[in-house]
Every structure is written in structure tokens, then in C-alpha cells.
Coordinates of all heavy atoms in Angstrom, one line a residue:
V224 N 87.8 98.7 104.4 CA 89.1 98.1 104.2 C 90.1 99.2 104.0 O 91.2 99.1 104.4 CB 89.0 97.2 103.0 CG1 90.4 96.6 102.7 CG2 88.1 96.0 103.3
A225 N 89.7 100.4 103.4 CA 90.7 101.4 103.0 C 91.1 102.0 104.4 O 92.3 102.3 104.5 CB 90.0 102.4 102.2
G226 N 90.3 102.1 105.3 CA 90.7 102.7 106.6 C 91.7 101.8 107.3 O 92.6 102.3 108.0
I227 N 91.5 100.5 107.2 CA 92.4 99.5 107.8 C 93.8 99.6 107.1 O 94.9 99.6 107.7 CB 91.9 98.1 107.7 CG1 90.7 97.9 108.7 CG2 93.0 97.0 108.0 CD1 89.9 96.6 108.5
R228 N 93.8 99.8 105.7 CA 95.1 100.0 105.0 C 95.8 101.1 105.5 O 97.1 101.2 105.7 CB 94.8 100.0 103.5 CG 94.5 98.7 102.9 CD 94.4 98.9 101.4 NE 93.9 97.6 100.8 CZ 92.8 97.4 100.0 NH1 92.1 98.6 99.8 NH2 92.5 96.3 99.6
V229 N 95.1 102.3 105.7 CA 95.7 103.5 106.2 C 96.4 103.3 107.6 O 97.5 103.7 107.8 CB 94.7 104.7 106.2 CG1 95.2 105.9 107.0 CG2 94.3 105.0 104.8
K230 N 95.6 102.7 108.4 CA 96.1 102.5 109.8 C 97.3 101.5 109.8 O 98.3 101.7 110.5 CB 95.0 101.8 110.6 CG 95.2 101.9 112.1 CD 95.1 103.3 112.5 CE 95.1 103.4 114.1 NZ 95.4 104.8 114.5
L231 N 97.2 100.5 108.8 CA 98.4 99.6 108.8 C 99.7 100.4 108.3 O 100.8 100.1 108.9 CB 98.1 98.5 107.7 CG 97.2 97.3 108.2 CD1 96.8 96.5 107.0 CD2 97.9 96.5 109.3
N232 N 99.5 101.3 107.4 CA 100.6 102.0 106.9 C 101.1 102.9 108.1 O 102.4 103.1 108.2 CB 100.3 102.9 105.7 CG 100.2 102.0 104.5 OD1 100.8 100.9 104.3 ND2 99.4 102.4 103.5
Q233 N 100.3 103.5 108.9 CA 100.7 104.3 109.9 C 101.4 103.5 111.0 O 102.5 103.9 111.5 CB 99.5 105.0 110.6 CG 98.8 106.0 109.8 CD 97.5 106.5 110.3 OE1 96.9 105.9 111.2 NE2 97.0 107.7 109.8
F234 N 100.9 102.3 111.3 CA 101.6 101.5 112.3 C 102.9 101.0 111.8 O 103.9 100.9 112.6 CB 100.7 100.3 112.7 CG 99.5 100.6 113.6 CD1 98.5 99.6 113.7 CD2 99.4 101.7 114.3 CE1 97.5 99.9 114.6 CE2 98.3 102.0 115.2 CZ 97.4 101.0 115.3
R235 N 103.0 100.7 110.5 CA 104.3 100.2 110.0 C 105.4 101.4 110.1 O 106.5 101.1 110.4 CB 104.1 99.7 108.5 CG 103.4 98.4 108.5 CD 103.3 97.9 107.0 NE 102.6 96.6 107.0 CZ 101.5 96.4 106.3 NH1 100.9 97.4 105.5 NH2 100.9 95.2 106.3
D236 N 104.9 102.6 109.7 CA 105.8 103.7 109.8 C 106.2 103.9 111.2 O 107.4 104.2 111.5 CB 105.1 105.0 109.2 CG 105.0 105.0 107.7 OD1 105.6 104.1 107.1 OD2 104.2 105.8 107.2
E237 N 105.4 103.9 112.1 CA 105.7 104.1 113.6 C 106.6 103.0 114.1 O 107.6 103.2 114.9 CB 104.4 104.1 114.4 CG 104.7 104.5 115.8 CD 103.4 104.6 116.7 OE1 102.3 104.7 116.1 OE2 103.6 104.6 117.9
M238 N 106.3 101.7 113.6 CA 107.2 100.6 114.1 C 108.6 100.8 113.5 O 109.5 100.6 114.3 CB 106.6 99.3 113.5 CG 107.3 98.1 114.1 SD 106.6 96.5 113.5 CE 106.9 96.5 111.8
E239 N 108.8 101.2 112.3 CA 110.1 101.5 111.8 C 110.8 102.6 112.6 O 111.9 102.4 112.9 CB 109.9 101.9 110.3 CG 111.1 101.8 109.4 CD 110.8 102.1 108.0 OE1 110.1 101.4 107.4 OE2 111.5 103.1 107.5
Q240 N 110.0 103.5 112.9 CA 110.7 104.6 113.7 C 111.1 104.1 115.1 O 112.1 104.5 115.5 CB 109.7 105.8 113.9 CG 110.3 107.1 114.4 CD 111.4 107.6 113.5 OE1 111.3 107.6 112.3 NE2 112.5 108.1 114.1
C241 N 110.2 103.3 115.6 CA 110.5 102.7 117.0 C 111.8 101.9 117.0 O 112.7 101.9 117.9 CB 109.3 101.9 117.5 SG 108.0 102.9 118.0
V242 N 112.0 101.1 115.9 CA 113.1 100.3 115.8 C 114.4 101.2 115.6 O 115.4 100.9 116.2 CB 113.0 99.3 114.5 CG1 114.4 98.7 114.2 CG2 112.0 98.2 114.8
T243 N 114.3 102.2 114.8 CA 115.4 103.2 114.7 C 115.8 103.8 115.9 O 117.0 104.0 116.2 CB 114.9 104.3 113.6 OG1 114.6 103.8 112.3 CG2 116.0 105.3 113.4
N244 N 114.8 104.1 116.8 CA 115.0 104.7 118.1 C 115.3 103.6 119.2 O 115.4 104.0 120.4 CB 113.8 105.6 118.5 CG 113.6 106.7 117.6 OD1 114.6 107.2 117.0 ND2 112.4 107.3 117.5
Q245 N 115.3 102.4 118.7 CA 115.6 101.2 119.6 C 114.5 101.1 120.7 O 114.8 100.6 121.9 CB 117.0 101.4 120.3 CG 118.1 101.2 119.2 CD 119.5 101.1 119.8 OE1 119.7 101.3 120.9 NE2 120.4 100.9 118.9
D246 N 113.3 101.5 120.4 CA 112.2 101.3 121.3 C 111.5 100.0 121.0 O 110.4 99.9 120.3 CB 111.1 102.5 121.3 CG 110.1 102.4 122.2 OD1 109.9 101.3 122.9 OD2 109.2 103.3 122.3
F247 N 112.2 98.8 121.3 CA 111.8 97.6 120.8 C 110.4 97.1 121.4 O 109.7 96.3 120.9 CB 112.9 96.5 121.0 CG 114.1 96.9 120.2 CD1 115.3 97.2 120.9 CD2 114.1 97.0 118.9 CE1 116.4 97.6 120.2 CE2 115.2 97.4 118.2 CZ 116.4 97.7 118.8
G248 N 110.2 97.5 122.6 CA 108.9 97.2 123.3 C 107.7 97.8 122.5 O 106.7 97.0 122.3
R249 N 107.7 99.0 122.2 CA 106.7 99.6 121.4 C 106.6 99.0 120.1 O 105.5 98.8 119.5 CB 107.0 101.1 121.3 CG 105.9 101.9 120.5 CD 104.5 101.8 121.2 NE 103.6 102.6 120.3 CZ 102.3 102.3 120.1 NH1 101.9 101.3 120.7 NH2 101.6 102.9 119.4
A250 N 107.8 98.7 119.4 CA 107.7 98.1 118.2 C 107.1 96.7 118.1 O 106.3 96.4 117.2 CB 109.2 97.9 117.6
A251 N 107.2 96.0 119.2 CA 106.6 94.7 119.4 C 105.1 94.9 119.5 O 104.3 94.1 118.9 CB 107.2 94.0 120.6
E252 N 104.7 95.9 120.3 CA 103.3 96.1 120.4 C 102.6 96.5 119.0 O 101.5 96.0 118.7 CB 103.0 97.3 121.3 CG 103.4 97.0 122.8 CD 103.2 98.4 123.7 OE1 102.9 99.4 123.2 OE2 103.6 98.2 124.9
L253 N 103.4 97.3 118.3 CA 102.9 97.7 117.0 C 102.8 96.5 116.1 O 101.8 96.4 115.3 CB 103.7 98.8 116.4 CG 103.5 100.2 117.1 CD1 104.8 101.1 116.6 CD2 102.2 100.9 116.7
K254 N 103.7 95.7 116.2 CA 103.7 94.5 115.3 C 102.5 93.6 115.6 O 101.9 93.1 114.7 CB 105.0 93.6 115.5 CG 105.1 92.3 114.8 CD 105.1 92.6 113.3 CE 105.2 91.2 112.6 NZ 104.7 91.3 111.2
Q255 N 102.2 93.5 116.9 CA 101.0 92.8 117.3 C 99.7 93.4 116.7 O 98.8 92.7 116.2 CB 100.8 92.6 118.8 CG 99.6 91.8 119.2 CD 99.7 90.4 118.8 OE1 100.7 89.8 118.7 NE2 98.5 89.9 118.3
Q256 N 99.6 94.7 116.8 CA 98.5 95.4 116.2 C 98.4 95.3 114.7 O 97.3 95.1 114.2 CB 98.6 96.9 116.7 CG 98.3 97.1 118.1 CD 98.4 98.6 118.5 OE1 99.3 99.3 118.0 NE2 97.6 98.9 119.6
I257 N 99.5 95.3 114.1 CA 99.6 95.1 112.6 C 99.0 93.7 112.2 O 98.2 93.6 111.3 CB 101.0 95.3 112.1 CG1 101.4 96.8 112.2 CG2 101.2 94.8 110.7 CD1 102.8 97.1 111.9
T258 N 99.5 92.7 113.0 CA 99.1 91.4 112.6 C 97.5 91.2 112.9 O 96.9 90.7 112.0 CB 99.8 90.4 113.7 OG1 101.1 90.5 113.4 CG2 99.2 88.9 113.5
E259 N 96.9 91.8 113.9 CA 95.5 91.9 114.1 C 94.8 92.6 113.1 O 93.8 92.0 112.5 CB 95.2 92.5 115.6 CG 95.7 91.5 116.7 CD 95.6 92.2 118.0 OE1 95.1 93.4 118.1 OE2 96.0 91.6 119.0
L260 N 95.3 93.7 112.6 CA 94.6 94.4 111.6 C 94.7 93.7 110.3 O 93.7 93.8 109.5 CB 95.3 95.8 111.4 CG 94.7 96.9 112.4 CD1 95.6 98.2 112.2 CD2 93.3 97.2 112.2
E261 N 95.8 93.1 110.0 CA 95.9 92.4 108.7 C 94.9 91.1 108.7 O 94.3 90.9 107.7 CB 97.3 91.7 108.6 CG 98.3 92.8 108.2 CD 99.8 92.3 108.2 OE1 100.0 91.4 108.8 OE2 100.5 92.9 107.5
E262 N 94.6 90.6 109.9 CA 93.6 89.5 109.9 C 92.3 90.0 109.7 O 91.5 89.5 109.0 CB 93.8 88.8 111.3 CG 95.0 87.9 111.5 CD 95.1 87.4 112.9 OE1 94.4 87.8 113.8 OE2 96.2 86.7 113.1
Q263 N 92.0 91.2 110.3 CA 90.7 91.9 110.1 C 90.4 92.2 108.6 O 89.3 92.0 108.0 CB 90.5 93.1 111.0 CG 90.4 92.8 112.4 CD 90.3 94.1 113.3 OE1 90.1 95.2 112.7 NE2 90.5 94.0 114.5
K264 N 91.5 92.7 108.1 CA 91.5 93.1 106.6 C 91.2 92.0 105.7 O 90.3 92.1 104.8 CB 92.7 93.8 106.2 CG 92.7 94.3 104.8 CD 94.0 95.1 104.5 CE 95.1 94.3 104.2 NZ 95.6 93.8 102.9
E265 N 91.8 90.9 106.0 CA 91.6 89.6 105.2 C 90.1 89.0 105.3 O 89.5 88.7 104.4 CB 92.6 88.5 105.6 CG 92.6 87.3 104.8 CD 93.7 86.3 105.2 OE1 94.8 86.7 105.5 OE2 93.3 85.1 105.1
I266 N 89.6 89.1 106.6 CA 88.2 88.7 106.8 C 87.3 89.6 105.9 O 86.4 89.2 105.3 CB 87.9 88.7 108.3 CG1 88.6 87.6 109.0 CG2 86.4 88.6 108.4 CD1 88.6 87.7 110.5
L267 N 87.5 91.0 106.1 CA 86.6 91.9 105.4 C 86.8 91.7 103.8 O 85.8 91.7 103.1 CB 87.0 93.3 105.7 CG 86.5 93.7 107.1 CD1 87.0 95.1 107.3 CD2 85.0 93.7 107.2
E268 N 88.0 91.5 103.3 CA 88.1 91.3 101.9 C 87.5 90.1 101.4 O 86.9 90.0 100.3 CB 89.7 91.3 101.6 CG 90.3 92.7 101.6 CD 91.8 92.6 101.4 OE1 92.5 91.7 101.7 OE2 92.3 93.7 101.1
T269 N 87.5 89.0 102.3 CA 86.9 87.8 101.9 C 85.3 87.9 101.8 O 84.7 87.5 100.9 CB 87.2 86.6 103.0 OG1 88.7 86.4 102.9 CG2 86.5 85.3 102.6
K270 N 84.8 88.7 102.8 CA 83.4 89.0 102.7 C 83.0 89.7 101.5 O 82.0 89.5 100.9 CB 82.9 89.6 104.1 CG 82.9 88.8 105.2 CD 82.5 89.5 106.5 CE 82.5 88.6 107.7 NZ 82.1 89.3 108.9
E271 N 83.8 90.8 101.3 CA 83.5 91.6 100.1 C 83.5 90.8 98.8 O 82.7 91.0 97.9 CB 84.6 92.8 99.9 CG 84.3 93.9 100.9 CD 85.3 95.0 100.7 OE1 86.3 94.9 100.0 OE2 85.2 96.0 101.5
N272 N 84.6 89.9 98.6 CA 84.7 89.1 97.4 C 83.4 88.2 97.4 O 82.9 88.0 96.2 CB 86.0 88.4 97.5 CG 87.2 89.2 97.3 OD1 87.1 90.3 96.7 ND2 88.3 88.7 97.7
S273 N 83.0 87.6 98.4 CA 81.9 86.8 98.4 C 80.7 87.4 98.0 O 79.9 87.0 97.2 CB 81.7 86.1 99.8 OG 80.6 85.3 99.9
F274 N 80.5 88.7 98.6 CA 79.3 89.6 98.3 C 79.3 89.9 96.8 O 78.3 89.8 96.1 CB 79.3 90.8 99.2 CG 78.1 91.7 98.8 CD1 76.9 91.3 99.2 CD2 78.3 92.9 98.1 CE1 75.7 92.2 99.0 CE2 77.2 93.7 97.9 CZ 76.0 93.4 98.3
S275 N 80.5 90.3 96.2 CA 80.5 90.7 94.8 C 80.3 89.5 94.0 O 79.6 89.6 92.9 CB 82.1 91.2 94.6 OG 82.2 92.4 95.3
Q276 N 80.8 88.3 94.3 CA 80.4 87.1 93.6 C 78.9 86.8 93.5 O 78.3 86.4 92.5 CB 81.2 85.9 94.1 CG 81.0 84.6 93.3 CD 81.5 84.6 91.9 OE1 82.5 85.4 91.6 NE2 80.9 83.9 91.0
T277 N 78.4 87.0 94.6 CA 76.9 86.8 94.8 C 76.2 87.7 93.8 O 75.2 87.3 93.1 CB 76.3 86.9 96.3 OG1 77.0 86.0 97.0 CG2 74.9 86.7 96.3
I278 N 76.6 89.0 93.8 CA 75.9 90.0 93.0 C 76.1 89.6 91.6 O 75.2 89.7 90.8 CB 76.4 91.4 93.3 CG1 76.1 91.9 94.7 CG2 75.9 92.4 92.3 CD1 74.6 91.9 95.0
R279 N 77.3 89.2 91.2 CA 77.5 88.8 89.7 C 76.7 87.6 89.3 O 76.0 87.7 88.3 CB 79.0 88.5 89.6 CG 79.9 89.7 89.4 CD 81.3 89.3 88.9 NE 82.0 88.5 89.9 CZ 82.8 88.9 90.9 NH1 82.8 90.2 91.1 NH2 83.4 88.1 91.7
E280 N 76.6 86.7 90.2 CA 75.8 85.5 89.9 C 74.2 85.8 89.8 O 73.6 85.4 88.9 CB 75.9 84.4 91.0 CG 77.3 83.8 91.0 CD 77.5 82.9 92.2 OE1 76.6 82.9 93.1 OE2 78.6 82.3 92.3
E281 N 73.8 86.8 90.6 CA 72.4 87.2 90.5 C 72.1 88.0 89.3 O 71.1 87.9 88.7 CB 71.9 88.0 91.7 CG 71.9 87.2 93.0 CD 71.6 88.0 94.3 OE1 71.5 89.3 94.2 OE2 71.4 87.5 95.4
K282 N 73.2 88.8 88.8 CA 73.0 89.5 87.6 C 72.9 88.5 86.4 O 72.1 88.7 85.5 CB 74.2 90.5 87.4 CG 74.1 91.7 88.2 CD 75.3 92.6 87.9 CE 75.2 93.9 88.7 NZ 76.4 94.7 88.5
V283 N 73.7 87.5 86.4 CA 73.7 86.5 85.3 C 72.4 85.8 85.3 O 71.7 85.7 84.2 CB 74.8 85.5 85.5 CG1 74.7 84.3 84.6 CG2 76.2 86.1 85.2
I284 N 71.8 85.4 86.4 CA 70.6 84.7 86.5 C 69.5 85.6 86.0 O 68.6 85.3 85.2 CB 70.2 84.3 87.9 CG1 71.1 83.1 88.3 CG2 68.8 83.8 88.0 CD1 71.2 82.8 89.8
Y285 N 69.4 87.0 86.4 CA 68.5 87.9 85.9 C 68.5 88.1 84.4 O 67.5 88.0 83.7 CB 68.7 89.3 86.6 CG 67.8 90.3 86.1 CD1 66.5 90.4 86.4 CD2 68.4 91.3 85.2 CE1 65.7 91.4 85.9 CE2 67.6 92.4 84.7 CZ 66.2 92.4 85.0 OH 65.5 93.4 84.5
L286 N 69.8 88.2 83.8 CA 69.9 88.4 82.5 C 69.5 87.2 81.6 O 68.9 87.4 80.5 CB 71.4 88.8 82.1 CG 71.8 90.2 82.5 CD1 73.3 90.4 82.4 CD2 71.0 91.3 81.9
Q287 N 69.8 86.0 82.1 CA 69.4 84.8 81.5 C 67.9 84.8 81.5 O 67.3 84.3 80.4 CB 70.0 83.6 82.2 CG 71.4 83.4 82.0 CD 72.1 82.2 82.8 OE1 71.5 81.9 83.9 NE2 73.2 81.7 82.3
S288 N 67.2 85.1 82.6 CA 65.8 85.0 82.6 C 65.1 85.9 81.6 O 64.1 85.8 80.9 CB 65.3 85.3 83.9 OG 65.4 86.6 84.4
K289 N 65.8 87.2 81.4 CA 65.3 88.2 80.5 C 65.4 87.6 79.1 O 64.5 87.8 78.3 CB 66.1 89.4 80.6 CG 65.7 90.3 81.8 CD 64.3 90.8 81.5 CE 63.8 91.7 82.6 NZ 62.4 92.1 82.5
L290 N 66.6 87.0 78.8 CA 66.8 86.5 77.4 C 65.9 85.4 77.1 O 65.3 85.3 76.0 CB 68.3 85.9 77.3 CG 69.4 87.0 77.2 CD1 70.7 86.3 77.3 CD2 69.3 87.8 75.9
L291 N 65.5 84.6 78.1 CA 64.6 83.4 77.8 C 63.2 84.0 77.6 O 62.5 83.5 76.8 CB 64.6 82.5 79.0 CG 65.9 81.6 79.1 CD1 65.7 80.8 80.5 CD2 65.9 80.7 78.0
S292 N 62.8 85.1 78.3 CA 61.5 85.7 78.2 C 61.4 86.3 76.8 O 60.3 86.4 76.2 CB 61.2 86.6 79.2 OG 62.0 87.8 79.2
W293 N 62.5 86.9 76.3 CA 62.4 87.6 75.0 C 62.3 86.6 73.8 O 61.7 86.8 72.8 CB 63.7 88.4 74.7 CG 63.7 89.7 75.6 CD1 62.7 90.3 76.3 CD2 64.9 90.4 76.0 NE1 63.0 91.3 76.9 CE2 64.4 91.5 76.8 CE3 66.2 90.3 75.6 CZ2 65.2 92.5 77.3 CZ3 67.0 91.3 76.2 CH2 66.6 92.3 77.0
S294 N 63.0 85.4 74.1 CA 63.0 84.4 73.0 C 61.7 83.5 73.0 O 61.5 82.8 72.0 CB 64.2 83.5 73.1 OG 64.1 82.7 74.4
A295 N 60.9 83.7 74.0 CA 59.6 82.9 74.0 C 58.5 83.5 73.2 O 58.6 84.5 72.7 CB 59.2 82.8 75.5

């Protein structure tokens, strides 16, 4: 995800420069690439969040089982 953020910033900077230079064709191409990267970033972040939630849930289950075994 970090690599995508870096690329997004690079594309945004380049797009801004293209607009300043009135290279609107290239700016439009960059805008499309930015949109695609943002979609990829969102998918990856969703997967990361889901994975993190699964890990947290597994830790809770593990700790609960340890507590139950100690109290028995």
C-alpha cells in the first residue's frame, strides 16, 4: 500500500505540472491512472483490515481458551 501511495503522489504532482503546462491530454491519462491506483489501494486496504480483524479475533479466542484452562 505504501508503494501505491508514493506512486499516487508522483502522479498527482506530474498531473499538476501537466495542467500548468497545458498538457491536458497527459493530465487526463494521469487522472485515469490515479483513479485505477486509488481503486487498487482501496482493495488492498480492505484486505489488510479484514486480515487484521481475523488475527485479533483469533488472539481473543486463544486468550479466552487459556483463561478457561487456568480457571479449571
Side-chain angles (χ1 to χ4, degrees):
V224 176
I227 291 176
R228 286 188 186 121
V229 169
K230 200 67 171 167
L231 282 168
N232 287 333
Q233 290 171 342
F234 283 167
R235 287 182 181 124
D236 289 345
E237 186 179 347
M238 184 176 70
E239 196 173 301
Q240 192 62 41
C241 287
V242 170
T243 300
N244 296 334
Q245 297 185 352
D246 185 356
F247 301 115
R249 177 68 180 143
E252 290 172 8
L253 288 165
K254 176 62 178 160
Q255 181 61 37
Q256 290 177 326
I257 289 168
T258 300
E259 291 170 6
L260 278 177
E261 286 173 338
E262 290 170 359
Q263 289 176 17
K264 182 175 78 93
E265 187 174 321
I266 289 167
L267 287 174
E268 287 173 339
T269 300
K270 287 180 180 179
E271 283 181 355
N272 289 339
S273 176
F274 179 73
S275 294
Q276 180 64 29
T277 300
I278 295 298
R279 282 192 295 274
E280 290 169 358
E281 288 177 359
K282 283 181 180 178
V283 167
I284 291 168
Y285 172 77
L286 292 173
Q287 286 174 337
S288 70
K289 283 293 187 187
L290 286 172
L291 288 173
S292 69
W293 291 338
S294 65

